[in-house]
């Protein structure tokens, strides 16, 4: 039987993604160093990328009066 599922707070997730993105280390190495599954870290990194792209699109559309093209 599998162990109890661990929960990680937003600060830990953000820190793990920051370590991965800023150091250039492979996901597997960062995940192993932090004691988490590499699929978990990959999921967090993917979500962070999507959130960052959404913020970028929102900022760029506001700069053009809400239009997608200026």
């Amino acid at each position: 039987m599998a162990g109890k599922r661990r929960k990680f707070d937003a600060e830990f997730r953000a820190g793990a993604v920051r370590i991965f993105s800023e150091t250039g280390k492979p996901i597997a190495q960062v995940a192993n160093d932090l004691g988490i599954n590499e699929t978990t870290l990959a999921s967090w990194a993917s979500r962070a990328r999507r959130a960052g792209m959404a913020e970028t699109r929102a900022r760029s559309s506001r700069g053009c009066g809400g239009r997608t093209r200026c």
Side-chain angles (χ1 to χ4, degrees), residues 13 24 26 34-35 39 46 48 50-51 55 57:
R13 291 190 304 261
L34 295 173
T39 304
S46 178
R50 285 194 310 263
E55 288 176 19
R57 279 187 290 220

Side-chain angles (χ1 to χ4, degrees), residues 12-43:
F12 180 84
R13 291 190 304 261
V17 170
R18 189 171 34 260
I19 291 168
F20 161 67
S21 62
E22 291 179 359
T23 63
K25 292 180 181 178
I27 283 182
Q29 182 179 351
V30 174
N32 188 41
D33 291 348
L34 295 173
I36 60 176
N37 188 295
E38 65 184 90
T39 304
T40 301
L41 179 54
S43 174

Side-chain angles (χ1 to χ4, degrees), residues 47-70:
R47 281 188 203 155
R49 262 193 316 275
R50 285 194 310 263
M53 289 186 337
E55 288 176 19
T56 302
R57 279 187 290 220
R59 273 188 250 135
S60 65
S61 66
R62 280 187 293 232
C64 297
R67 297 185 314 263
T68 56
R69 291 188 179 183
C70 294

